[in-house]
Amino acid sequence: MILDQILIYPLKSGQGWARSEAVVHPWGLDGDRRWAVVDENGDNLWLGEFPRLASVAAHPTAEDGLRLAARGMEPLTVPPATGAATRVGFTGLDKAVLADDAAHAWFSELLGRPARLVWLDDPTRRSIDPAHGGLPGEVVSFAWDAPLLLTSESSALALDGWLAEEAARHGEDPPGRLSRVRFRPSVIIEGAEAFAEEGWREVRIGDIPFRVSEICDRCAVTTIDPETQVKGKEPLRTLARYHKWDGKTWFGIRLVTLEPGTIRVGDPVSAR
């Protein structure tokens, strides 16, 4: 097995940024999901409700700022967040730092409603929810339930086959290859048996060990086409037929960092 892709999401719910290597911290990949968009009460404006967030290309600057671009919007460079601390509605986290007013205005225009951009100044302040496999002392960025999400290309290919069968069952045109970004993975591996990852307890990528905290249950975010931001029925319709238990659909596994270091595309992957 090898590491095939690394993806970082500087803005929670924004586009993924492919990298050839990444530093792994206890809270996740370097630069991953340190920014998020919230409403006036500090509650997360999430991709499942606001698909246009998937159109936002966000890249960190050398000064811990953020460059933003999206279709129909003027590009914006956000300076490092130095605003007041504000309440946020993330499990295990009580506050984050406000970006500047121009950033709030940009996202308010993008989403057509009041919005604010916030920065997680210290990701060691946010603990992983024990309900999602978090242990004492484990931390996470604005990612929901674990520092990293791993998916397998073999599992995705199996899902592609199921999608074709489901389309035929409903008299629909055969679907193309499902975008792997729909699952918002941090790392994609090749060479495993399909869905073998669901039985793993530990994973090693290169020299970096991880603990599997849980299998990932899937939500409406996966039904949003990352290119068009249009919602559909898939892949949840198909997963509900072929890969559902305990009332939920499943795809991928969540990882917790055991030791910091650097991972690189092409690194060997082992698991047990």
Side-chain angles (χ1 to χ4, degrees), residues 48-80:
E49 187 175 358
F50 297 96
R52 201 171 179 206
L53 285 167
S55 72
V56 179
H59 293 91
T61 69
E63 302 80 21
D64 284 336
L66 198 65
R67 290 191 301 273
L68 300 171
R71 286 193 302 272
M73 299 288 294
E74 287 294 322
L76 179 70
T77 298
V78 181

Side-chain angles (χ1 to χ4, degrees), residues 2-23:
I2 64 166
L3 177 57
D4 182 56
Q5 294 185 53
I6 301 171
L7 291 160
I8 293 174
Y9 308 85
L11 173 72
K12 182 174 177 64
S13 294
Q15 291 182 11
W17 182 24
R19 307 292 289 162
S20 60
E21 64 178 57
V23 174

Side-chain angles (χ1 to χ4, degrees), residues 9 16 44 46 52 58 113 118 129 133 160 177 216 221:
Y9 308 85
N44 179 51
W46 75 298
R52 201 171 179 206
R113 57 149 299 150
V118 294
D129 188 349
D160 283 342
R177 177 182 182 274
C216 186
V221 164

Side-chain angles (χ1 to χ4, degrees), residues 111-136:
L111 301 179
R113 57 149 299 150
R116 297 190 293 177
L117 179 66
V118 294
W119 160 256
L120 180 53
D121 54 313
D122 181 3
T124 64
R125 290 194 293 107
R126 187 182 182 209
S127 57
I128 300 175
D129 188 349
H132 288 280
L135 299 177

